[in-house]
Amino acid sequence: MKEELRGPEVKGVSVAVVHEQSEDGAMVYNVYFINEREDILEQVLVSSKGYSIDEKTGEKTQTNMLRRLLGLILPKEYVKIEPIMEDVFGLTNEFLVSYWINDILYDKKFI
């Protein structure tokens, strides 16, 4: 039963943080979703959040969850998800990605 709930294995997609120059010349970090597959990905949805727990005090820190519909992504294409501030690099940053290929739903968590 548990095997059936896992869904198909996700391969050939990734999330990358890229340090690059913005249009105004400033250096910024952007998060990209990359489709390395030969398939068209439909209805790509990305949810992101950051979180941490201070080991000494037990205090929890959490960002708001952001959701972005990237829509259709062609084979070998990449799409910018969002800029990311250096302030949240100390947190665990999590990206939940869902998409469809041929009426099959794929899900993967990138940390």
Side-chain angles (χ1 to χ4, degrees):
M1 177 78 174
K2 282 187 178 182
E3 291 297 319
E4 294 170 0
L5 297 176
R6 289 186 187 191
E9 184 178 0
V10 174
K11 293 182 181 179
V13 297
S14 53
V15 172
V17 176
V18 179
H19 194 213
E20 59 190 356
Q21 191 169 359
S22 68
E23 292 176 4
D24 64 1
M27 294 303 290
V28 296
Y29 289 93
N30 288 310
V31 182
Y32 287 89
F33 177 77
I34 305 165
N35 178 11
E36 302 169 54
R37 299 176 57 101
E38 297 294 334
D39 301 299
I40 295 174
L41 309 182
E42 298 178 53
Q43 297 299 318
V44 179
L45 176 66
V46 179
S47 300
S48 62
K49 67 179 179 179
Y51 56 88
S52 70
I53 299 176
D54 187 306
E55 293 180 13
K56 294 178 184 175
T57 65
E59 181 182 349
K60 296 179 182 180
T61 303
Q62 185 169 330
T63 65
N64 291 330
M65 180 170 284
L66 300 174
R67 293 177 185 87
R68 302 219 189 270
L69 179 62
L70 303 179
L72 186 98
I73 299 181
L74 299 174
K76 307 297 184 188
E77 185 178 45
Y78 61 91
V79 176
K80 183 165 78 170
I81 300 171
E82 62 189 20
I84 187 168
M85 299 178 348
E86 290 183 57
D87 299 352
V88 299
F89 285 169
L91 303 176
T92 299
N93 290 283
E94 181 178 281
F95 296 87
L96 304 169
V97 177
S98 300
Y99 57 89
W100 293 86
I101 299 176
N102 299 326
D103 295 328
I104 298 173
L105 179 63
Y106 293 78
D107 288 301
K108 182 161 181 152
K109 181 188 299 186
F110 294 90
I111 299 177

